[in-house]
């Protein structure tokens, strides 16, 4: 079920970008032993869309009101995108469309007039997301001509900014405080024995003390996981992934606070394993109409943090809606399901 759910979400993400469901681009199949090379390559290319698809999924599945879904990045990665304003930087990352779609359409437009490149991309893609994508680029870099070179450069910069681990204690704290947190992580940290990682960390500390440049132990972020729990005092952070839980110390998530590593491009890269997070502070599951539940007594429906009217069934007392947030009670009486 986990794989069916994941593949369906990925297919929906690509279909949203394409504006339809073409066999060539939006359908994400399961990889399996003996699969033809063409199928395996297609599935590999179609594996989600990093932070942009995570934001989309948050708004589609977790908080469909779209009010609390947020992207958490190390602000210093925005320097890689040449953007000073963090919110503008996050917007730029969040609107990045399906790479499959860009790869299909760009060859059709990059040989044409550079002044019409953006217009060509919008026309040829037939994508409902492409106009907003180019509008965001225009607002971020006003006056810069949108060309194939700019788009390729932008794609590389987003890949670096969100692909290399740079999460710090500050970003981890934000993720831990949220009701739901999804982390973009280097899967290597989930499959390598902890004692081996600890040994490599001690080696890195020794090399740092000797004044050497440090190579990263974890590669690029390539996996999305659920942050199940944070125990700061015990230095234990629980990750839910692949149908099980993995407990990691902070050093394996953010790396030591004073330890940076060298990559192929300059940036705030550290020895940790996490690149970003998508968080939500409430779970709404569907539209407001979908969330309507019956008040006690069934005389009317309600949704979330609101009061149901007094009725015979409630002993003539106004009570919170059964779907109200745990602990919320803006009504006169405490309902029976909130009584300890």
């Amino acid at each position: 079920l986990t794989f069916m759910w994941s593949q369906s979400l990925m297919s929906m993400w690509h279909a949203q970008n394409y504006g339809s469901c073409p066999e060539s681009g939006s359908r994400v199949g399961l990889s399996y032993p003996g699969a033809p090379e063409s199928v395996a390559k297609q599935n590999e290319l179609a594996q989600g869309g990093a932070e942009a698809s995570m934001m989309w999924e948050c708004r589609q599945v977790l908080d469909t009101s779209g009010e609390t879904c947020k992207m958490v990045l190390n602000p210093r990665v925005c320097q890689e995108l040449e953007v000073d304003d963090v919110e503008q930087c996050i917007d730029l990352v969040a609107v990045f469309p399906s790479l499959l779609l860009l790869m299909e359409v760009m060859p059709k437009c990059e040989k044409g007039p550079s002044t019409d490149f953006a217009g060509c991309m919008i026309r040829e893609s037939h994508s409902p997301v492409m106009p907003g994508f180019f509008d965001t680029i225009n607002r971020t870099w006003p006056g810069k001509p949108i060309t194939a070179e700019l788009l390729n450069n932008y794609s590389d910069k987003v890949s670096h900014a969100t692909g290399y681990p740079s999460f710090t204690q500050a970003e981890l704290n934000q993720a831990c405080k949220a009701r739901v947190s999804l982390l973009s992580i280097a899967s290597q940290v989930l499959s390598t024995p902890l004692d081996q990682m600890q040994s490599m960390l001690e080696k890195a500390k020794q090399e740092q003390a000797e004044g050497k440049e440090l190579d990263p132990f974890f590669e690029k972020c390539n996996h999305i996981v659920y942050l199940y729990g944070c125990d700061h005092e015990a230095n234990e952070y629980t990750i839910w992934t692949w149908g099980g839980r993995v407990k990691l110390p902070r050093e394996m998530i953010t790396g030591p606070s004073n330890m940076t590593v060298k990559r192929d491009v300059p940036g705030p890269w550290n020895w940790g394993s996490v690149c970003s997070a998508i968080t939500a502070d409430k779970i709404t599951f569907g539209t407001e109409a979908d969330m309507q539940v019956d008040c006690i007594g069934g005389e009317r429906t309600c949704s979330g943090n609101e009061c149901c009217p007094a009725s015979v069934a409630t002993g003539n007392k106004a009570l919170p809606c059964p779907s109200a947030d745990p602990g919320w009670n803006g009504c006169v009486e405490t309902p029976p399901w909130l009584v300890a």
Side-chain angles (χ1 to χ4, degrees):
L1 285 176
T2 298
F3 284 108
M4 290 170 62
W5 177 244
S6 299
Q7 304 305 106
S8 296
L9 278 176
M10 282 187 266
S11 295
M12 289 170 63
W13 152 250
H14 287 293
Q16 167 75 9
N17 278 259
Y18 278 84
S20 60
C21 198
E23 187 74 33
S24 63
S26 66
R27 299 185 183 184
V28 183
L30 288 173
S31 298
Y32 55 90
E37 184 178 347
S38 59
V39 172
K41 184 177 181 180
Q42 172 71 14
N43 290 344
E44 182 179 349
L45 287 172
Q47 293 297 306
E51 283 70 17
S53 67
M54 288 168 64
M55 280 291 286
W56 177 84
E57 289 168 6
C58 182
R59 291 165 177 158
Q60 293 292 316
V61 179
L62 297 177
D63 181 8
T64 56
S65 70
E67 296 174 354
T68 68
C69 291
K70 296 179 181 178
M71 186 185 303
V72 180
L73 293 172
N74 180 337
R76 292 176 59 201
V77 303
C78 295
Q79 297 172 9
E80 172 68 16
L81 291 169
E82 301 175 23
V83 180
D84 295 327
D85 183 87
V86 176
E87 291 303 318
Q88 196 173 36
C89 169
I90 288 175
D91 286 344
L92 196 61
V93 173
V95 299
F96 198 81
S98 162
L99 189 58
L100 276 176
L101 179 60
L102 291 179
M103 290 171 60
E104 284 186 19
V105 181
M106 281 186 66
K108 302 176 183 178
C109 298
E110 58 188 354
K111 295 181 181 179
S114 60
T115 54
D116 187 47
F117 177 75
C120 177
M121 291 289 291
I122 293 172
R123 291 192 304 272
E124 291 292 333
S125 67
H126 306 289
S127 169
V129 305
M130 204 65 77
F133 170 57
F134 284 112
D135 180 62
T136 301
I137 293 178
N138 270 322
R139 285 187 284 105
T140 304
W141 298 306
K144 273 192 177 183
I146 298 179
T147 62
E149 182 181 3
L150 174 71
L151 196 54
N152 281 320
N153 188 41
Y154 164 39
S155 177
D156 288 342
K157 288 180 180 295
V158 169
S159 176
H160 296 148
T162 61
Y164 292 144
S166 62
F167 229 50
T168 69
Q169 183 66 55
E171 288 79 59
L172 180 58
N173 288 343
Q174 290 183 58
C176 288
K177 288 178 181 178
R179 184 172 182 181
V180 179
S181 291
L182 303 175
L183 304 181
S184 174
I185 199 169
S187 60
Q188 185 183 0
V189 74
L190 305 171
S191 57
T192 306
L194 183 57
D195 58 350
Q196 181 181 340
M197 293 190 291
Q198 293 282 16
S199 175
M200 293 302 297
L201 178 57
E202 291 305 315
K203 179 182 177 182
K205 288 179 179 179
Q206 180 61 38
E207 291 177 349
Q208 183 183 41
E210 296 170 359
K212 296 180 180 179
E213 281 191 315
L214 302 181
D215 291 319
F217 179 67
F218 302 111
E219 298 304 324
K220 296 188 72 172
C221 292
N222 60 354
H223 189 48
I224 306 302
V225 297
Y226 170 56
L227 181 59
Y228 186 85
C230 303
D231 188 335
H232 298 295
E233 291 187 6
N235 190 22
E236 187 174 85
Y237 299 84
T238 305
I239 304 295
W240 193 95
T241 178
W242 293 321
R245 299 176 191 175
V246 177
K247 294 183 178 181
L248 297 172
R250 180 174 51 254
E251 292 77 17
M252 298 306 157
I253 295 176
T254 66
S257 60
N258 62 343
M259 184 177 289
T260 59
V261 299
K262 62 178 181 179
R263 297 277 186 179
D264 54 351
V265 293
W269 323 128
N270 59 37
W271 201 87
S273 60
V274 174
C275 296
S276 64
I278 301 297
T279 66
D281 289 324
K282 67 179 182 179
I283 301 175
T284 55
F285 292 128
T287 64
E288 187 172 344
D290 295 331
M291 295 185 289
Q292 294 290 321
V293 297
D294 289 331
C295 285
I296 292 179
E299 295 183 4
R300 54 158 284 188
T301 61
C302 61
S303 175
N305 295 346
E306 64 174 295
C307 299
C308 288
S311 67
V312 174
T314 65
N316 293 317
K317 298 174 182 178
L319 300 177
C321 178
S323 65
D325 290 338
W328 182 86
N329 185 13
C331 310
V332 177
E333 301 292 339
T334 300
W337 58 87
L338 289 181
V339 175

